[in-house]
Structure formats: C-alpha cells, structure tokens
Amino acid sequence: MSEGHDGPDWLVTGGYGGLADGFAAGLDVRLSRPVAAVDWGTDGVSLTVNPADGSPGRELETVDRAVVTVPLGVLQAVTLRVVERRQQQGV
C-alpha cells in the first residue's frame, strides 16, 4: 500500500494479489480444490474435496477454519452441500 497519505483511503499498489498474499502469510492455503461438501461446527470444519492429482474419488480434510469461494453458477445449481453440526446439549 502506498504510504504518506493523510486521508482514510489507501491506494493498493502492485495489484490486489499482494494484499491477499499478505493476509495469507503463514497460513496453509490450498487453491483449485473443488469442494463437494462443507461440514462445520465449533470443533472445526470438514471438507470433502476432489483429490489434488485429479484422480477419481473424494478426500476428507479436517481443519480449524476454512474460506471456501464458490462461483455463482455453483450456488445457483445447488451442487455444494453445507451442513452446520450443532453441539449436543444435555447428553
């Protein structure tokens, strides 16, 4: 970002990719992994994804947190399953 600006707005120099790279520093970022299902709750997130090598089948990845971006066409076709796991109370 440019420095020496007195107002509330900042100019992002070099493109927004550098801004995203800064936010992702130190994180395990995985790109181009088609996600078939997202199951999330207070204990983390389970993602059902296609294998990275393109082979048939599915893989299950469990993480603390996830950011999943979805194209509008996928949302409109309802091909992604998202489920919130709720904690059982009074067990």
Side-chain angles (χ1 to χ4, degrees):
M1 291 199 220
S2 70
E3 296 181 19
H5 190 280
D6 293 331
D9 300 323
W10 288 81
L11 175 64
V12 177
T13 57
Y16 284 101
L19 186 62
D21 290 342
F23 286 130
L27 299 176
D28 179 12
V29 177
R30 300 173 192 185
L31 304 174
S32 300
R33 297 294 308 271
V35 175
V38 178
D39 295 306
W40 63 279
T42 57
D43 59 338
V45 182
S46 295
L47 303 168
T48 304
V49 298
N50 293 330
D53 63 4
S55 63
R58 305 258 191 226
E59 296 176 353
L60 183 65
E61 295 189 17
T62 303
V63 295
D64 294 329
R65 294 174 182 86
V67 174
V68 178
T69 60
V70 181
L72 180 59
V74 172
L75 288 175
Q76 290 173 331
V78 191
T79 59
L80 175 66
R81 184 177 64 87
V82 179
V83 176
E84 176 186 7
R85 288 175 301 198
R86 299 181 186 258
Q87 293 286 5
Q88 293 182 351
Q89 296 179 2
V91 176

